[in-house]
Amino acid sequence: MAAEAVGSGGGSPSSARRRLRIISGHLRGSGRAALSPSPCKAQGGPAGPAAGSIPKKRQELLKWNGWGYNDSKFIFNKKGQAEFTGKRYRLGGMVLPTFKEWIEKTFGASLEHKTTSRASLNVNDVPPSIVNEEFLQDLRATNISYSQDAEDRVFRAHGHCLHEIFVLREGMFKRIPDIVVWPVCHEDVVKIVELACKHNLCIIPFGGGTSVSSALECPEEEKRTIISLDTSQMNRILWIDEKNLTACVEAGIVGQDLEKQLGESGFCTGHEPDSMEFSSLGGWVATRASGMKKNIYGNIEDLVIHIKMVTPRGIVEKNCQVPRMSTGPDIHHFIMGSEGTLGVVTEVTIKIRPLPEYQKYGSVVFPNFERGVACLREVAKQRCAPASIRLVDNAQFQFGHALKPQVASIFTSFLDGLKKFYITKFKGFDPNILCVATLLFEGDREKVLQHEKQVYDIATKFGGLAAGEDNGQRGYMLTFVIAYIRDLGLDYYVIGESFETSVPWDRVLDLCRNVKERIVRECKEKGVQFAPFSTCRVTQTYDAGACVYFYFAFNYRGISDPIHVYEEIERAAREEILANGGSLSHHHGVGKLRKRWMKESISDVGLGMLRSVKEYVDPNNIFGNKNLL
Amino acid sequence: MSKPGESQQRSPRSHIQLKQKELTSKKRDEFEDILEERRLSSDLRYAMKCYTPVIYKGLSPCKPNAIKTAVLQSEQVQYVIKQLAKEMGESPDIIQEEATEILDEMGHSMQLGAVRFFISFCLSELFCKYWSNIVCSVFLFQLQHAIQEHPVVLLPSHRSYVDFLMLSYLLYTYDLALPVIAAGIDFLGMKIVGELLRRAGAFFMRRSFGGNRLYWAVFAEYVKTMLRNGYAPIEFFLEGTRSRTAKTLTPKFGLLSIVMEPFFKREVFDTYLVPISISYERILEESLYAYELLGVPKPKESTSGLLKARRILSDNFGTIHIYVGQPVSLRTLASGRINLCPYNLVPRHLPQKPSEDIQEFVSDVAYKMELLQIENMVLSPWVLVAAVLLQNLPAMDFELLIEKTVWLKGLTQTFGGFIEWPDNLCAKKAVTSALALHSNIARLVNGHVVLNDKGEEDGAIGEIVFKRALAILMCGNYRNQLLNVFVRPSLVALALQMTRSFRKEEVYSCFSILRDVFSDEFIFFPGISLKDFEEGCFLLTKCDAIQTTQQEIYLTDKGSVIVSFLSAMFRPFVEGYQLIFRYLSKETREAFTEKQFVPGVRNFVFQLLEKGNTQCYEALSSDMQKNALAALVQMGAVKKKKM
């Protein structure tokens, strides 16, 4: 499998192409989207929507009640060993011998106690589609593809919050979209928004469906017809401008397709959020997304040059595509993070870069988390952070360890033993305290090697020991498969979620410790019988602070209302974050899940400013997903 | 190393206490004598005992000097040093030097060896000699758990010098981490003792340093560093100084807000506050306090003074009860109460004046802790005797005294007081032994109990008044231990008498005024006047003194006895305050200094007493005088101005 070649064989001249294969390797899709006739002709671009990785009928490729591809999941095989199925990921088809023990030890879970999801969607449970006939007639006249099919609608009624998945497994949403429409270009969107205004309907834009902020949930009290505006068929790269290194792209394109297609011309955006297989460009803009390699390429707000958005008031865009302008507050910043409350982003001009020549993974072991954070702080101070640098705490390190596949040869296992001996016995690291930083370098080969040395030198000053490329690479691979683990947990009474924040450097340690401790304490108070799994990683570094990512999961056997308990604990954790000087969100957004803290976060006046924009742009609340405000 | 003869001499009393360390209330089984074992084994073995204390889970062990270094180098202290250097145009080195000096003056140098020596030899001998027993609540496992989990702040009541190191003694005995103790700088004036205390874990704070930013920064950082590192439990007295009247003093907030700050800034996950009640059957400084209250200056702390005191100490001082309250989680107290946003917007090392709601919170916590202390104070039978006796001067029939004492015992228990009175101990025995222990205050003469209020020979009238005041204040200081338990129902009783009304509303408004007037005299949780009133009414209902309807309050037949007893109990305060107000309105025409005030009132009251125009001897107490003035200032009747 292509992905196996990643990094380790650095230095070959075709590394750029290999990088491409990596992405297409672990992100390989079926690419069978139906082409619908379209009047849209983009300037100089190919006609009609490109064949994206994610089909229009999402259910053909993706799980209806869990994360990711149908064929990829963790299972316990006949021997009772954990295994990851499918061929999409590097871990695919591999046996994970220690994973079962880890689950049992960490959660007190047992393979004998299983819950089962409903096998399939029960169409009879689905709320009926209520759409008035006049609108349907108008819609048909536009020739825009639409569907009132129950599956299509349920698929677009949720993101990937725990409670949403839980509802899919065991119940049904009270309110879902009444109709799904698939515009294929900007003009289609304009027509749809016009129709919605005319008939006073509610539009909820849908991109990749990877929201973890309840942003896609339909407000229960919404009486109007809800249109789910699926942007997935607006997925073309309209043009590439090599002189200015920009590309104009339709907003529905998903991350993996964008990188694949740009790669064919030798470019990339470098924007790689963990959800990049499924999440869309428009979604990134709407949530103020952040990518793993932001240290080189920047976050979405650094990448975006121009945005075109269709609102009930009309189209909003700038008159030029320039690197910076001083024309009052940047209107892009009303759009970025608006979470679908103002309109639909249709086209985005984004910065592109030549594909990097060389990529190298790395990892460093630190004696403890404190030293690790100190090292990351120093790296940030010297502004020499590699494309990505992440520090996982001990619990997450052990988690990663449990996901190690069976080693093929005695030699490898001997080497592993030797490494372990060296670190724990010879260097005196306590395996229950140590933590690991994973690194990804990118760029010219020369510079990468130079850069690598600089970072490792700093690490040494903080007691760090280089721990090999393989560990680093595995760390990043896990980012993509970790989302699949929750579905396995759900089968065994384990529920969990991740959440994130950003925090000034001097508070990182206190925040990590306090939030983890708060989770443990809340679990105890709420009657959770086994100590929860509560772990964090410092996942981005900035000049003034860092982004911290938490995973939190627990065994809910014996609890009658696990989702409620879960939500209370998550809420307590968020309150703890805020009390520790952390932000409401670094990149997941607010949605409906974190709305209650908005006033506290941006002040009354701040909230009023946002409200007045909403009132001007969308006075009739056509974009009525009720996010943010 | 107590001499066999001595211990035998005391053994009958000790015996009773040891075998029957029971208390009348629910808490009876929670106490354990810590001297019992001490008497059986040698001091040396105790000193050398294997001490492997339970410590904070996140502790990174370090030496006292390392803490000082960390404090000096801390961003907090460095920031203030730089600021001051800039403002005063001095070199930072000079200010740094000054900070080092402050730190050297302040810092403890706890050494286990010194602690072992101090505790085992000095204290053990002292304790075994002069106290029948030291009894402590055995619910220490909660404390043990707390010490492991989060930084711990020990908040004992302060009635005597003996309080210092009492907890160290206790924690050493029970294999718990030894505390560092905030002590007044005046101890350093005492040769050897000061240094010994330092080695035993005491650190020293100046009495007032509000204006000195460097001192404040160094001191605060010193305390916070120890707290954050979980170096040791931090012990200090919320009351700030020894209460001379055995009533709990209103809390001081400075040190409390310092130890709470690391939690506010989330440098620690939580902090445990542990209210501790140390009750003395007989207070070592009893007569000293009475003199002090009457304005005879207290001798300066000196080693020779202490040695002399030791010689005086040939008496028995009864039992000491230590009740270690349940650790209170600061996080739980704060939950939902305070907005931490201000702390998020300023770097944490900058000195920051706490916001108003934080200040209010600190004050609430302080009062809450003191109320918890009060709740767990152990009252001895003598306290009841003293309260009864003071209402029946000059002499009281012994049998009547017993009868009244038993009656009061019942009432006290109804009000939630915690009395050390074994179930099977007959009343006569209890009162007799109480009188025996306090024979310096009262004695039995021809079947009557009288105060020892006469000098050896009859002197001038002034002398007689003074002697009498001394006896009454000493006796009053024991009755005072009851007051905080009784204050709510008693103020309702007083209000009932004063208003002569049945209307709840009127009674409440009178109660509310009384509560404000006595806000410095007794401990009330701020701002819950109505709740206090309702509690008072509830307790009076509970003992069948009153019946209440929605609008009205009725006295029952039984009630008049109770109500008049309660109001008589607080009568000295009402009358005393009236005298003080009279002095202020008649005698002072213009502004006066605080220094002039106390002697002024004292002379005024003294003259009235001499002429026989009042019987309120307690108005001579400087404590009452200061409290009255403070209350007036608070209510805006008197204005305080800096001249």
Side-chain angles (χ1 to χ4, degrees):
Chain A
M1 202 181 143
E4 288 196 32
V6 175
S8 46
S12 108
S14 60
S15 57
R17 207 165 302 137
R18 178 177 311 118
R19 168 74 190 134
L20 232 179
R21 269 191 285 128
I22 296 158
I23 295 173
S24 58
H26 66 229
L27 309 180
R28 197 186 308 143
S30 71
R32 278 179 289 123
L35 287 175
S36 62
S38 161
C40 299
K41 283 267 189 286
Q43 316 84 302
S53 299
I54 311 297
K56 200 164 152 186
K57 282 265 173 208
R58 298 173 72 82
Q59 49 271 47
E60 288 167 6
L61 183 69
L62 304 180
K63 287 195 195 77
W64 71 279
N65 63 351
W67 178 263
Y69 299 105
N70 276 324
D71 58 12
S72 303
K73 61 182 171 228
F74 285 95
I75 55 157
F76 286 109
N77 63 21
K78 282 177 196 135
K79 287 190 209 150
Q81 287 176 314
E83 197 180 314
F84 191 65
T85 63
K87 292 203 168 72
R88 293 176 191 276
Y89 299 91
R90 197 179 157 219
L91 212 55
M94 290 200 187
V95 170
L96 315 163
T98 57
F99 190 54
K100 181 180 158 215
E101 194 198 329
W102 180 83
I103 286 201
E104 287 169 344
K105 210 179 78 192
T106 311
F107 296 105
S110 151
L111 295 195
E112 276 135 46
H113 301 288
K114 218 179 153 190
T115 66
T116 37
S117 161
R118 292 191 315 192
S120 63
L121 185 66
N122 185 352
V123 178
N124 297 329
D125 293 346
V126 177
S129 158
I130 299 167
V131 186
N132 93 34
E133 192 50 40
E134 287 167 42
F135 167 68
L136 277 181
Q137 272 175 16
D138 283 352
L139 184 62
R140 279 187 211 114
T142 62
N143 244 344
I144 295 167
S145 160
Y146 71 90
S147 161
Q148 286 173 274
D149 171 63
E151 272 195 6
D152 285 336
R153 292 188 294 121
V154 169
F155 243 86
R156 285 155 187 86
H158 65 88
H160 282 270
C161 286
L162 176 69
H163 66 267
E164 294 169 313
I165 300 302
F166 217 78
V167 165
L168 284 171
R169 287 170 63 99
E170 305 198 345
M172 181 42 64
F173 299 106
K174 290 213 178 78
R175 187 75 170 93
I176 67 167
D178 295 292
I179 183 169
V180 181
V181 295
W182 284 276
V184 295
C185 62
H186 172 78
E187 284 71 26
D188 282 356
V189 175
V190 172
K191 283 179 204 157
I192 294 167
V193 173
E194 271 169 8
L195 284 183
C197 290
K198 178 179 163 196
H199 296 278
N200 189 26
L201 310 179
C202 171
I203 298 178
I204 298 183
F206 180 93
T210 57
S211 147
V212 282
S213 59
S214 299
L216 285 169
E217 268 181 284
C218 300
E220 271 172 40
E221 65 282 7
E222 180 60 70
K223 295 281 184 292
R224 301 172 295 182
T225 294
I226 298 180
I227 304 167
S228 176
L229 190 154
D230 185 328
T231 59
S232 64
Q233 303 310 302
M234 308 197 298
N235 58 0
R236 295 164 302 173
I237 295 177
L238 299 178
W239 45 256
I240 294 174
D241 177 350
E242 298 192 12
K243 291 203 186 75
N244 294 307
L245 287 177
T246 54
C248 183
V249 188
E250 287 185 315
I253 194 165
V254 295
Q256 55 169 319
D257 291 343
L258 178 61
E259 292 305 85
K260 189 162 60 190
Q261 289 172 34
L262 283 175
E264 282 160 15
S265 318
F267 294 103
C268 67
T269 63
H271 186 70
E272 292 187 14
D274 292 355
S275 60
M276 72 173 292
E277 298 159 273
F278 309 106
S279 58
S280 68
L281 173 58
W284 301 338
V285 170
T287 54
R288 291 182 68 87
S290 168
M292 181 178 100
K293 299 192 292 193
K294 72 95 195 154
N295 291 337
I296 293 184
Y297 300 97
N299 288 317
I300 196 73
E301 67 271 20
D302 309 309
L303 286 165
V304 161
I305 293 294
H306 184 266
I307 302 172
K308 197 192 257 183
M309 179 164 79
V310 180
T311 77
R313 184 66 77 171
I315 293 159
V316 54
E317 62 179 327
K318 293 183 183 173
N319 74 330
C320 53
Q321 315 215 39
V322 292
R324 183 177 193 275
M325 54 204 274
S326 175
T327 46
D330 191 338
I331 55 160
H332 283 172
H333 286 283
F334 290 127
I335 299 168
M336 286 187 287
S338 61
E339 304 190 357
T341 58
L342 299 178
V344 186
V345 176
T346 53
E347 289 168 16
V348 178
T349 304
I350 191 165
K351 289 199 246 178
I352 55 172
R353 299 287 304 162
L355 279 169
E357 175 195 314
Y358 184 69
Q359 231 189 2
K360 195 170 181 191
Y361 290 96
S363 65
V364 180
V365 187
F366 291 98
N368 56 44
F369 193 64
E370 288 75 17
R371 303 283 276 167
V373 170
C375 174
L376 260 63
R377 204 281 159 267
E378 183 61 28
V379 167
K381 199 189 233 168
Q382 297 193 20
R383 292 198 170 165
C384 63
S388 169
I389 178 165
R390 287 175 172 178
L391 180 78
V392 302
D393 69 359
N394 184 266
Q396 215 168 118
F397 159 73
Q398 300 207 7
F399 175 39
H401 215 69
L403 287 172
K404 237 181 176 165
Q406 205 156 25
V407 282
S409 73
I410 299 173
F411 181 66
T412 335
S413 95
F414 172 73
L415 269 186
D416 278 351
L418 209 62
K419 260 189 252 167
K420 193 175 165 191
F421 177 82
Y422 176 72
I423 287 176
T424 59
K425 295 290 177 317
F426 191 71
K427 282 290 176 181
F429 284 24
D430 182 340
N432 292 312
I433 296 178
L434 64 81
C435 72
V436 178
T438 57
L439 310 165
L440 171 61
F441 297 91
E442 223 175 78
D444 297 341
R445 189 182 142 79
E446 287 277 294
K447 278 187 190 147
V448 162
L449 295 177
Q450 215 180 329
H451 194 176
E452 190 187 18
K453 185 174 181 307
Q454 188 186 7
V455 172
Y456 281 108
D457 283 350
I458 295 173
T460 311
K461 281 192 198 126
F462 291 88
L465 286 176
E469 288 178 46
D470 189 53
N471 279 322
Q473 192 191 353
R474 260 169 17 87
Y476 289 101
M477 183 261 308
L478 285 180
T479 303
F480 291 100
V481 297
I482 210 162
Y484 287 93
I485 287 180
R486 184 170 74 191
D487 296 329
L488 179 76
L490 280 167
D491 287 341
Y492 296 95
Y493 288 95
V494 174
I495 50 178
E497 183 89 278
S498 59
F499 50 91
E500 42 74 34
T501 187
S502 50
V503 59
W505 276 115
D506 70 314
R507 291 171 185 262
V508 169
L509 281 176
D510 288 333
L511 181 133
C512 291
R513 183 197 59 228
N514 291 343
V515 171
K516 285 193 273 185
E517 174 121 26
R518 178 75 181 263
I519 289 171
V520 171
R521 194 190 249 213
E522 291 285 332
C523 280
K524 209 188 239 169
E525 279 169 16
K526 303 266 178 328
V528 175
Q529 296 181 7
F530 305 92
F533 178 60
S534 146
T535 163
C536 70
R537 66 166 185 250
V538 178
T539 197
Q540 286 291 8
T541 63
Y542 292 88
D543 287 349
C547 168
V548 181
Y549 209 93
F550 292 90
Y551 289 109
F552 153 49
F554 64 87
N555 181 339
Y556 69 84
R557 283 188 61 214
I559 295 176
S560 59
D561 191 355
I563 293 302
H564 179 69
V565 167
Y566 169 80
E567 282 172 350
E568 280 190 342
I569 297 170
E570 190 191 352
R571 178 175 167 175
R574 180 58 62 182
E575 247 144 35
E576 192 60 36
I577 286 174
L578 297 175
N580 279 273
S583 64
L584 189 52
S585 171
H586 170 264
H587 59 273
H588 282 173
V590 176
K592 288 179 271 290
L593 192 62
R594 287 176 273 274
K595 249 165 91 163
R596 67 163 70 92
W597 293 288
M598 268 303 269
K599 194 170 114 182
E600 186 185 333
S601 287
I602 61 168
S603 83
D604 261 339
V605 177
L607 206 57
M609 289 161 80
L610 296 186
R611 280 211 183 99
S612 66
V613 170
K614 164 81 179 169
E615 267 156 36
Y616 173 76
V617 172
D618 183 17
N620 296 319
N621 196 28
I622 299 299
F623 289 88
N625 61 16
K626 295 247 170 111
N627 288 339
L628 205 59
L629 299 174
Chain B
M1 290 195 188
S2 54
K3 291 168 206 137
E6 267 183 9
S7 60
Q8 248 169 23
Q9 214 177 9
R10 238 182 306 280
S11 64
R13 256 193 63 78
S14 303
H15 192 70
I16 295 169
Q17 299 282 336
L18 286 173
K19 289 277 183 253
Q20 303 167 340
K21 53 195 176 205
E22 294 153 46
L23 296 154
T24 44
S25 85
K26 58 191 189 315
K27 292 164 181 165
R28 117 175 11 135
D29 294 329
E30 301 173 12
F31 281 87
E32 186 175 290
D33 188 345
I34 56 175
L35 288 189
E36 189 171 358
E37 203 189 334
R38 291 287 320 104
R39 290 211 166 86
L40 298 175
S41 71
S42 86
D43 286 341
L44 186 66
R45 185 187 295 167
Y46 180 66
M48 290 306 153
K49 83 174 187 125
C50 173
Y51 171 69
T52 46
V54 168
I55 50 171
Y56 175 51
K57 64 177 182 199
L59 174 70
S60 38
C62 64
K63 292 250 177 316
N65 270 332
I67 294 174
K68 288 191 197 168
T69 316
V71 171
L72 268 186
Q73 288 166 355
S74 69
E75 281 176 309
Q76 284 81 346
V77 169
Q78 285 301 322
Y79 175 83
V80 173
I81 287 177
K82 272 181 208 141
Q83 283 278 309
L84 288 174
K86 218 186 281 171
E87 282 168 30
M88 308 194 308
E90 285 240 44
S91 116
D93 294 345
I94 293 174
I95 297 171
Q96 170 108 10
E97 195 99 323
E98 209 179 310
T100 315
E101 276 163 26
I102 292 173
L103 209 47
D104 284 338
E105 173 193 87
M106 174 162 50
H108 71 82
S109 51
M110 184 151 52
Q111 292 166 342
L112 188 57
V115 178
R116 282 178 191 267
F117 168 77
F118 208 72
I119 285 177
S120 320
F121 286 101
C122 304
L123 294 183
S124 275
E125 195 191 350
L126 210 69
F127 288 157
C128 286
K129 231 176 193 163
Y130 302 112
W131 279 275
S132 313
N133 40 30
I134 298 172
V135 184
C136 121
S137 67
V138 291
F139 272 104
L140 284 172
F141 66 90
Q142 284 173 331
L143 178 62
Q144 182 181 352
H145 178 76
I147 286 176
Q148 282 170 301
E149 283 300 301
H150 301 297
V152 164
V153 178
L154 304 173
L155 300 169
S157 59
H158 202 12
R159 300 287 170 273
S160 165
Y161 276 145
V162 183
D163 294 330
F164 278 102
L165 301 177
M166 177 55 87
L167 283 176
S168 306
Y169 183 75
L170 183 81
L171 298 182
Y172 179 74
T173 308
Y174 283 98
D175 241 5
L176 294 166
L178 289 167
V180 290
I181 309 149
I185 200 92
D186 16 356
F187 277 105
L188 278 183
M190 302 163 78
K191 281 173 216 149
I192 308 170
V193 173
E195 283 312 308
L196 257 176
L197 279 175
R198 199 194 280 281
R199 298 222 170 126
F203 61 97
F204 300 93
M205 63 189 288
R206 294 182 191 162
R207 286 283 170 196
S208 64
F209 49 89
N212 188 336
R213 273 151 69 201
L214 184 65
Y215 191 87
W216 175 260
V218 173
F219 180 77
E221 192 50 31
Y222 184 65
V223 175
K224 285 189 278 184
T225 303
M226 290 191 290
L227 185 106
R228 282 191 293 250
N229 295 355
Y231 175 79
I234 290 170
E235 174 186 339
F236 67 89
F237 301 106
L238 267 177
E239 295 165 272
T241 179
R242 292 170 299 158
S243 165
R244 269 65 166 173
T245 59
K247 280 187 289 114
T248 302
L249 302 174
T250 50
K252 302 276 183 292
F253 306 124
L255 201 39
L256 186 65
S257 66
I258 290 176
V259 297
M260 283 162 84
E261 205 184 86
F263 169 72
F264 293 148
K265 292 186 172 173
R266 289 298 196 268
E267 293 162 335
V268 295
F269 182 77
D270 199 354
T271 303
Y272 279 123
L273 306 175
V274 187
I276 295 172
S277 319
I278 307 179
S279 323
Y280 296 90
E281 198 172 8
R282 187 176 161 200
I283 293 170
L284 194 60
E285 298 99 323
E286 53 182 4
S287 64
L288 202 66
Y289 287 163
Y291 276 105
E292 245 182 75
L293 290 173
L294 289 172
V296 179
K298 90 172 189 188
K300 228 184 149 199
E301 266 87 338
S302 71
T303 310
S304 65
L306 194 78
L307 290 175
K308 255 184 241 153
R310 195 177 165 277
R311 227 169 290 137
I312 301 164
L313 281 176
S314 48
D315 268 335
N316 181 0
F317 284 85
T319 303
I320 304 173
H321 281 93
I322 309 169
Y323 190 96
V324 178
Q326 197 159 359
V328 180
S329 149
L330 181 54
R331 175 175 276 269
T332 310
L333 289 177
S335 105
R337 257 212 65 170
I338 40 177
N339 175 14
L340 292 175
C341 186
Y343 289 104
N344 289 345
L345 293 176
V346 179
R348 291 188 292 181
H349 67 270
L350 299 194
Q352 200 180 348
K353 196 171 183 285
S355 65
E356 254 169 52
D357 58 330
I358 293 272
Q359 285 179 26
E360 196 188 305
F361 177 66
V362 172
S363 149
D364 285 358
V365 171
Y367 276 99
K368 189 182 166 84
M369 289 300 127
E370 287 202 342
L371 286 168
L372 286 171
Q373 284 176 0
I374 289 167
E375 198 176 289
N376 295 322
M377 283 286 188
V378 176
L379 305 166
S380 68
W382 166 249
V383 169
L384 307 175
V385 172
V388 173
L389 202 55
L390 278 175
Q391 290 191 27
N392 294 279
L393 291 178
M396 188 177 187
D397 179 63
F398 184 54
E399 295 302 326
L400 188 62
L401 174 66
I402 293 170
E403 186 191 314
K404 277 294 215 175
T405 305
V406 172
W407 174 82
L408 183 56
K409 174 188 160 214
L411 194 62
T412 311
Q413 283 167 341
T414 313
F415 290 170
F418 183 1
I419 309 177
E420 186 212 17
W421 192 315
D423 285 341
N424 49 0
L425 182 63
C426 84
K428 190 169 180 181
K429 247 185 187 164
V431 175
T432 313
S433 74
L435 279 171
L437 188 65
H438 298 275
S439 57
N440 58 331
I441 298 177
R443 66 201 141 92
L444 193 58
V445 181
N446 303 328
H448 280 73
V449 179
V450 293
L451 282 189
N452 294 336
D453 56 0
K454 306 270 184 324
E456 266 108 61
E457 62 244 40
D458 286 349
I461 176 88
E463 186 83 354
I464 292 170
V465 169
F466 186 81
K467 279 269 151 51
R468 194 162 164 72
L470 207 57
I472 287 179
L473 284 187
M474 252 158 79
C475 197
N477 283 352
Y478 286 98
R479 173 216 53 204
N480 283 352
Q481 296 182 21
L482 273 184
L483 296 184
N484 271 310
V485 177
F486 275 67
V487 69
R488 286 163 196 82
S490 298
L491 291 194
V492 174
L494 269 175
L496 273 171
Q497 280 202 338
M498 286 173 165
T499 53
R500 303 197 173 281
S501 165
F502 299 111
R503 293 200 41 236
K504 222 176 192 175
E505 218 171 289
E506 271 175 64
V507 179
Y508 171 63
S509 76
C510 178
F511 171 90
S512 192
I513 293 168
L514 286 171
R515 187 182 180 273
D516 286 346
V517 170
F518 291 131
S519 63
D520 282 75
E521 200 70 47
F522 309 108
I523 303 300
F524 297 105
F525 193 83
I528 55 161
S529 188
L530 186 60
K531 226 178 131 200
D532 279 341
F533 177 68
E534 278 164 359
E535 195 191 323
C537 289
F538 168 75
L539 291 175
L540 285 177
T541 317
K542 202 171 149 197
C543 63
D544 293 329
I546 57 166
Q547 282 174 340
T548 59
T549 65
Q550 204 69 300
Q551 309 284 331
E552 287 163 335
I553 299 177
Y554 299 102
L555 217 58
T556 63
D557 300 340
K558 199 178 154 194
S560 56
V561 182
I562 295 175
V563 165
S564 61
F565 179 85
L566 294 182
S567 50
M569 191 175 200
F570 284 75
R571 181 78 56 208
F573 293 90
V574 177
E575 281 176 11
Y577 272 53
Q578 282 168 345
L579 289 178
I580 294 162
F581 298 159
R582 230 169 86 192
Y583 165 78
L584 279 174
S585 51
K586 289 215 174 124
E587 304 291 313
T588 56
R589 291 270 166 264
E590 55 224 57
F592 57 93
T593 64
E594 277 181 285
K595 266 206 181 125
Q596 294 165 339
F597 170 71
V598 170
V601 191
R602 189 186 300 132
N603 287 337
F604 174 74
V605 176
F606 210 90
Q607 280 164 17
L608 289 179
L609 284 166
E610 278 182 335
K611 287 182 203 142
N613 287 348
T614 179
Q615 286 301 312
C616 184
Y617 285 86
E618 295 189 43
L620 287 173
S621 155
S622 60
D623 182 68
M624 185 187 290
Q625 295 154 3
K626 285 176 195 158
N627 288 340
L629 186 63
L632 286 177
V633 170
Q634 228 161 58
M635 294 190 296
V638 176
K639 224 169 156 181
K640 216 168 161 178
K641 260 189 185 164
K642 275 223 167 98
M643 301 296 272

